């Protein structure tokens, strides 16, 4: 099923650390915030401390080289920057923001592979709740639209959702037997700091996916419930505040459609309606008061903050958010934390709702509006980035975890992120459209066939072009 790319590819998976680490003897941690990793020499793995700055940068460089062979746009900068805040650091003055340390006990998984630890789904739905924490299963809250959307998604698959489990009676003490003795620790046979990068049946490396484009696709016949078959969906509750002026109506973001649906009734019919609209590309047609626009953001960042799933995400999210705000403001980029830019009054200043566009003209109009987003094609431009906290997205053992989404349809899952990496995340990824391999869990729609050497028709380039026929991801420098 898989073909090995490299037996001894030094990976960031085990050797990188998002928190402060002890530099190798003789190494320096001050004086530069984001040095070019191509300028760092790499000795043999046995001669380089994998936890040193040099060892991590060398590992990232090797992984970047492998991903670049497949047309994945990667950054050549060291995503870890300086190791600690010291006098003379280029980031001086931001020590309490981008150099903050996670507290003791913030345990991160450094043993298992980061790349390939998540799989992007064709669609993400982000639902407004105005909260930053939710029940352990956020869809169990029957008062929220996420509950109704989850039920409607199950109906579209022909699954009848069962009743929620009864609440536990906390007044009754459980008789717990003594826990079994811990299992004996097994010695790992995997060489630390190494990973076998493999290629799957899709012709791409592990963790890299081409997500099908559903725009203009034929809609399969509706199920008995009247809901068309839905693409694979990740459903999130979020800190986004509903922009409806009426009660019991919510706001829903759909990515990678890059749409915002306003005034969705918070009931099962509202959930069924918005899912039908998104698949049939009807965009509401003013039914039940729903209205749809393209998102105005040049990028959207989703931060897991779900405390009742894992406290590490609850700790990481506000620190990462604060560092993102600081770094984006340094680049004169606006930030939207609540969804203020998604109000109908604000959106109508630029365009009428998509519901007013004739269906035959809809896709061309959407493309036109995406290309008109401020600074969407200019890494030195301004524009606006939406930053929202979301419910559990998986892999909290790699906290902090985030999803970065773009109008181009590219979706990146990052892990092991601390405030220390945020300046590089902002400069290289959010504004520059380049992946930091040391933080990458997975990527959807991140392949650029035009980055491959046209003069070298290797098996790799042929395989990539067979998977992704689109010439570059426009709307960002991908």
């Amino acid at each position: 099923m898989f073909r090995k790319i490299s037996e001894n590819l030094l990976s960031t998976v085990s050797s990188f650390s998002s928190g402060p680490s002890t530099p190798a003897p003789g190494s320096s941690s001050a004086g530069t915030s984001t040095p070019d990793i191509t300028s760092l020499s790499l000795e043999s793995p046995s001669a380089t401390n994998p936890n040193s700055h040099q060892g991590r940068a060398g590992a990232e460089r090797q992984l970047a080289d492998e991903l670049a062979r497949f047309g994945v746009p990667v950054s050549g900068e060291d995503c870890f920057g300086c190791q600690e805040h010291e006098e003379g650091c280029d980031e001086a003055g931001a020590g309490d923001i981008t150099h903050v340390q996670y507290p003791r006990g913030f345990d991160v998984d450094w043993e298992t592979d980061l790349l390939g630890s998540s799989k992007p789904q064709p669609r993400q739905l982000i639902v407004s709740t105005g909260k930053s924490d939710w029940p352990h299963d956020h869809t169990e809250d029957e008062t929220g639209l996420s509950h109704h959307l989850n039920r409607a998604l199950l109906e579209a698959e022909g699954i009848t959702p069962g009743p929620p489990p009864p609440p536990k009676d906390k007044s009754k003490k459980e008789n717990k037997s003594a826990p079994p003795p811990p299992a004996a620790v097994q010695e790992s046979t995997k060489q630390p700091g190494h990973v076998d990068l493999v290629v799957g049946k899709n012709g791409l490396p592990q963790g890299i996916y081409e997500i099908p484009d559903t725009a203009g696709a034929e809609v399969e016949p509706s199920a008995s419930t009247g809901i068309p078959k839905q693409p694979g969906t990740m459903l999130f509750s979020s800190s986004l505040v509903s922009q409806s002026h009426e009660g019991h109506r919510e706001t829903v973001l759909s990515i990678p459609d890059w749409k915002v649906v306003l005034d969705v009734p918070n009931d099962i019919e509202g959930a069924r309606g918005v899912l039908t609209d998104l698949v049939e590309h009807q965009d509401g047609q003013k039914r039940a008061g729903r209205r749809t626009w393209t998102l105005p953001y040049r990028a959207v960042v989703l931060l897991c903050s779900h405390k009742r799933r894992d406290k590490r995400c609850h700790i990481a999210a506000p620190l990462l958010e604060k560092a993102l705000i600081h770094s984006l403001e340094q680049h004169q980029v606006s930030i939207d934390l609540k969804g203020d830019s998604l109000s109908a009054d604000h959106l109508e200043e630029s365009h009428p709702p998509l519901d007013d566009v004739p269906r035959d003209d809809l896709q061309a109009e959407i493309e036109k509006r995406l290309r008109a987003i401020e600074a969407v094609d200019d890494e030195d431009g301004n524009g606006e980035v939406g930053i929202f906290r979301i419910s559990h997205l998986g892999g909290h053992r790699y906290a902090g975890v985030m999803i970065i989404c773009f109008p181009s349809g590219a979706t990146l899952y990052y892990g092991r992120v601390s405030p220390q990496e945020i300046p590089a995340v902002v400069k290289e990824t959010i504004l520059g459209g380049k992946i930091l391999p040391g933080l990458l869990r997975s990527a959807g729609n991140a392949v650029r066939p035009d980055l491959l050497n046209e003069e070298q028709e290797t098996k790799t380039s042929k395989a990539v072009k067979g998977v992704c026929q689109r010439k570059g991801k426009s709307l960002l420098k991908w």
Side-chain angles (χ1 to χ4, degrees):
M1 177 178 180
F2 295 107
R3 174 171 60 88
K4 288 188 178 180
I5 294 299
S6 173
E7 292 289 341
N8 295 308
L9 176 62
L10 190 61
S11 168
T12 58
V13 175
S14 299
S15 58
F16 281 51
S17 173
S18 63
S21 60
T22 303
S27 65
S28 173
S29 61
T32 177
S33 57
T34 52
D36 188 336
I37 64 174
T38 59
S39 65
L40 297 175
S41 62
L42 178 67
E43 301 173 7
S44 64
S46 61
T48 303
N49 180 355
N51 287 321
S52 70
H53 193 191
Q54 184 185 27
R56 292 197 304 273
E60 183 176 348
R61 182 175 69 241
Q62 291 195 22
L63 183 57
D65 289 344
E66 285 295 323
L67 292 176
R69 288 179 50 216
F70 288 84
V72 177
V74 291
S75 169
E77 287 205 17
D78 175 9
C79 68
F80 295 94
C82 57
Q83 297 303 289
E84 57 185 337
H85 180 56
E86 294 183 1
E87 186 177 356
C89 172
D90 288 346
E91 290 290 324
D96 59 342
I97 297 177
T98 58
H99 290 73
V100 69
Q101 301 179 15
Y102 287 143
R104 288 184 178 275
F106 192 96
D107 185 27
V108 178
D109 180 352
W110 294 101
E111 300 302 319
T112 57
D113 290 350
L114 184 64
L115 182 60
S117 62
S118 66
K119 181 178 180 179
Q121 294 296 319
R123 179 176 65 185
Q124 292 83 37
L125 294 182
I126 298 95
V127 183
S128 62
T129 70
K131 303 175 183 178
S132 60
D133 190 30
W134 305 268
H136 186 270
D137 181 348
H138 71 109
T139 66
E140 288 183 357
D141 181 2
E142 297 184 12
T143 65
L145 181 60
S146 292
H147 171 79
H148 302 301
L149 281 169
N150 183 60
R151 177 181 168 188
L153 287 167
L154 290 173
E155 289 177 348
E157 294 296 324
I159 301 172
T160 302
K168 293 183 179 181
D169 188 350
K170 296 182 179 180
S171 64
K172 296 181 180 180
K173 294 184 178 180
E174 298 180 7
N175 294 322
K176 296 183 179 180
S177 58
V185 177
Q186 299 291 326
E187 290 289 339
S188 175
T189 58
K190 179 179 176 181
Q191 188 176 359
H194 290 72
V195 67
D196 291 331
L197 191 65
V198 296
V199 173
K201 289 183 177 180
N202 63 354
L204 298 175
Q206 60 182 3
I208 309 298
Y209 304 94
E210 254 320 280
I211 297 175
D213 186 2
T214 59
E218 291 293 329
V219 179
E220 294 190 20
S222 299
S224 58
T225 58
I227 308 173
K229 184 175 177 61
Q230 301 290 309
T233 301
M234 295 191 74
L235 176 63
F236 301 108
S237 294
S238 78
S239 60
L240 175 67
V241 176
S242 174
Q243 297 303 305
S244 175
H245 295 301
E246 302 179 29
H248 307 294
R249 288 179 178 262
E250 301 294 349
T251 299
V252 177
L253 310 188
S254 182
I255 295 173
D257 304 278
W258 216 248
K259 293 176 181 176
V260 53
V261 187
L262 301 183
D263 301 321
V264 180
N266 188 0
D267 54 33
I268 186 61
E269 291 304 322
R272 290 168 178 162
V274 73
L275 292 181
T276 300
D277 293 345
L278 290 171
V279 170
E280 294 185 347
H281 306 292
Q282 292 292 324
D283 292 324
Q285 296 297 309
K286 299 183 179 179
R287 292 178 291 187
R290 297 185 299 274
R291 292 175 293 172
T292 306
W293 276 269
T294 51
L295 288 169
Y297 308 124
R298 64 182 294 174
V300 169
V301 182
L302 305 174
L303 302 170
C304 181
S305 64
H306 203 158
K307 180 181 181 180
R308 276 178 267 193
R309 287 301 292 261
D310 191 271
K311 65 180 181 180
R312 287 168 294 190
C313 293
H314 176 73
I315 293 170
L319 299 178
L320 295 176
E321 180 182 274
K322 187 175 182 181
L324 282 164
I325 293 170
H326 173 80
S327 295
L328 286 166
E329 287 180 343
Q330 286 190 322
H331 291 272
Q332 290 76 51
V333 176
S334 299
I335 300 104
D336 187 2
L337 298 176
K338 297 182 179 180
D340 295 335
S341 296
L342 303 180
S343 69
D345 293 340
H346 180 82
L347 293 170
E348 283 180 333
E349 292 178 1
S350 301
H351 305 285
L354 292 172
D355 315 279
D356 293 340
V357 179
R359 185 168 183 176
D360 291 343
D361 301 332
L362 190 58
Q363 290 307 315
E365 178 65 20
I366 290 173
E367 179 78 5
K368 176 183 176 182
R369 294 187 184 188
L370 292 179
R371 293 183 180 277
I373 295 172
E374 184 181 359
V376 75
D377 275 316
D378 182 6
E379 64 184 271
D380 296 321
N382 305 129
E384 186 172 43
V385 172
I387 303 175
F388 307 110
R389 303 187 194 184
I390 59 169
S391 54
H392 179 63
L393 63 87
H396 48 243
R397 66 183 182 275
Y398 302 116
V401 289
M402 63 173 61
I403 307 176
I404 306 175
C405 314
F406 300 95
S408 64
T411 303
L412 308 180
Y413 285 62
Y414 275 4
R416 297 174 181 156
V417 185
S418 76
Q420 183 178 324
E421 288 84 60
I422 290 301
V425 170
V426 167
K427 178 185 175 184
E428 295 298 303
T429 300
I430 296 177
L431 305 184
K434 297 177 182 178
I435 290 173
L436 294 166
L439 305 178
L440 184 63
R441 296 184 63 201
S442 64
N445 290 343
V447 174
R448 281 270 312 264
D450 59 312
L451 294 180
L452 296 169
N453 190 336
E454 298 288 351
E455 297 178 358
Q456 296 178 353
E457 288 294 328
T458 63
K459 291 182 180 180
T460 296
S461 63
K462 290 179 180 179
V464 171
K465 291 176 182 178
V467 172
C468 180
Q469 298 296 333
R470 284 173 284 183
K471 267 290 183 183
K473 303 296 180 188
S474 59
L475 315 181
L476 189 70
K477 291 186 177 180
W478 284 88

